[in-house]
Amino acid sequence: MEFMKKILRRYGVLFLTLCFLTVPTACNQTTSDLYFPTNINNQEMSASMSYEVKDFEQLYGYAVNIIVGNVTDYETYYHPNGLHTNVFSQVEVEETLKGSIEVGEQITISETGQHLDNGTDISIDGVPLLYPGMKVILFLNEGGQLIDPQKTGYGIIGTYLGKFIYHPDGTIYNFSLLGGDNALTLADAQEPLTEEEFRALLPQESNPSETDTTGDTTIETTTADTTSRSE
């Protein structure tokens, strides 16, 4: 027994050091473990929105729910009309910034587009879709039935303008910064933000619009485009 204690005292610190250096996912999850998209040559889809989102304050006002969460899984839904597909991503809620979604809840997020086998996406303006391993901040509608009548979930306000992603270095990017040349941007989120800068943009009060943002109504029309994006 005394011999084993000596062994543990001698090599225990070494084991813990190796654990943190070589297997961070098993010891302590950090932002360096997050998935950050580096997609290139995404196939772009065009779309028209039923309302404009110009800045962070408007985005906050339109949103019924705002959450911080981790993307854990996804599935592809093929629309019966064959015009387009949707990706339904599963997100585990880590923090609620606005609304009634509870921490720990698993929610479904609907996006127009598709993940391709070559690691790229078909997506609006070439902006990457949600993918497992991402830590994100999502500005969402009130939720309801999705385009698949057997599922309920949430749509993103302003399509990709209503989603932010944590970079492994801890900064926060609006997804518009990851899109093609034609991607729309928010006036006050045109570069990566620190956590403190992002939180400072959150208004003290929301100013909800009367615009209907239920279900999948953030998109009026969506048409596929064969244009590819290269970086």
Side-chain angles (χ1 to χ4, degrees):
M1 181 64 69
E2 188 63 30
F3 173 75
M4 290 301 297
K5 289 181 180 179
K6 290 181 180 179
I7 292 295
L8 289 174
R9 282 197 296 267
R10 184 172 181 179
Y11 296 105
V13 174
L14 176 61
F15 169 76
L16 290 174
T17 302
L18 288 174
C19 182
F20 280 107
L21 288 177
T22 62
V23 197
T25 55
C27 303
N28 186 26
Q29 188 89 12
T30 66
T31 55
S32 63
D33 305 317
L34 300 177
Y35 171 67
F36 191 84
T38 56
N39 300 355
I40 59 174
N41 296 322
N42 282 343
Q43 295 183 41
E44 298 186 10
M45 306 172 71
S46 59
S48 61
M49 287 187 290
S50 57
Y51 54 93
E52 283 189 302
V53 181
K54 295 181 178 180
D55 56 29
F56 199 93
E57 184 175 7
Q58 279 191 330
L59 183 66
Y60 186 94
Y62 282 127
V64 178
N65 297 284
I66 305 174
I67 62 97
V68 181
N70 297 284
V71 184
T72 59
D73 200 1
Y74 76 90
E75 63 178 286
T76 304
Y77 175 74
Y78 297 91
H79 198 277
N81 65 19
L83 292 179
H84 62 84
T85 56
N86 281 66
V87 173
F88 297 149
S89 297
Q90 298 300 311
V91 177
E92 182 175 359
V93 178
E94 183 177 295
E95 181 182 359
T96 298
L97 301 177
K98 181 182 180 181
S100 58
I101 299 175
E102 296 184 358
V103 173
E105 191 174 344
Q106 288 274 355
I107 61 175
T108 300
I109 307 298
S110 176
E111 293 184 281
T112 302
Q114 183 179 353
H115 293 303
L116 302 178
D117 292 339
N118 64 3
T120 64
D121 295 334
I122 301 175
S123 58
I124 296 173
D125 292 340
V127 175
L129 301 170
L130 297 178
Y131 194 78
M134 292 179 176
K135 180 177 180 179
V136 293
I137 304 171
L138 302 177
F139 290 66
L140 305 172
N141 59 22
E142 66 182 8
Q145 187 180 69
L146 299 179
I147 195 169
D148 179 351
Q150 298 183 12
K151 290 186 178 295
T152 59
Y154 299 86
I156 300 172
I157 299 298
T159 64
Y160 53 79
L161 291 176
K163 58 180 185 177
F164 293 76
I165 181 172
Y166 281 84
H167 189 277
D169 66 10
T171 55
I172 299 171
Y173 285 64
N174 186 261
F175 268 77
S176 64
L177 303 180
L178 311 177
D181 294 335
N182 296 322
L184 303 173
T185 58
L186 295 173
D188 39 14
Q190 296 187 12
E191 58 184 22
L193 303 169
T194 65
E195 182 86 31
E196 183 178 5
E197 290 170 338
F198 178 88
R199 301 274 175 168
L201 288 173
L202 292 172
Q204 295 300 311
E205 296 183 37
S206 64
N207 297 297
S209 167
E210 293 180 357
T211 300
D212 181 12
T213 57
T214 59
D216 284 342
T217 56
T218 53
I219 297 296
E220 285 188 328
T221 60
T222 304
T223 56
D225 189 349
T226 57
T227 303
S228 295
R229 173 175 63 88
S230 60
E231 296 180 345

